[in-house]
Amino acid sequence: AVVSTQSTGRDKEYAQRSPNYPVQDVWEVCGEAPATRYTWDMSQNTNLRESAPSNKARLRFDRLLLRGEDKIVPVSFELIGKEKLLSCDMFPSDHWGVLATFQIN
């Protein structure tokens, strides 16, 4: 099963997940590329700049979690929605979207 989450859980909290509930983070399985680490990146995303001009936080709130990795194998992980919409000069969201591809065995 693949579950998409948007949570306030931080990396340290996810690292402490229970071994009795073995889930994998798809970003980690796909190599932990630094360019795709932060899904909430106020240093690049200007949507909230007016309400919090000094906020430059970079966090990974949005995750894809995987269970049953013998049947579903992550192949790639990328961030989407990083281009501003021409109609309003804003990004689609204050979070980047996540897009992954999988091989189904």
Side-chain angles (χ1 to χ4, degrees), residues 37-104:
R37 178 181 188 114
Y38 303 110
T39 63
W40 196 72
D41 187 348
M42 296 301 98
S43 72
Q44 293 182 24
N45 191 316
T46 56
N47 281 8
L48 299 178
R49 193 72 36 95
E50 286 185 27
S51 62
S54 63
N55 187 355
K56 301 286 192 261
R58 302 176 83 199
L59 300 162
R60 197 160 64 92
F61 286 141
D62 308 271
R63 298 169 190 262
L64 294 174
L65 302 176
L66 172 65
R67 186 168 181 180
E69 61 277 358
D70 57 327
K71 296 178 184 166
I72 305 170
V73 179
V75 175
S76 68
F77 181 95
E78 61 185 290
L79 299 178
I80 59 173
K82 295 183 77 172
E83 298 82 28
K84 287 187 175 182
L85 301 172
L86 296 176
S87 61
C88 60
D89 195 38
M90 293 183 73
F91 293 101
S93 174
D94 60 326
H95 292 241
W96 304 137
V98 295
L99 176 66
T101 57
F102 299 89
Q103 177 181 323
I104 310 297

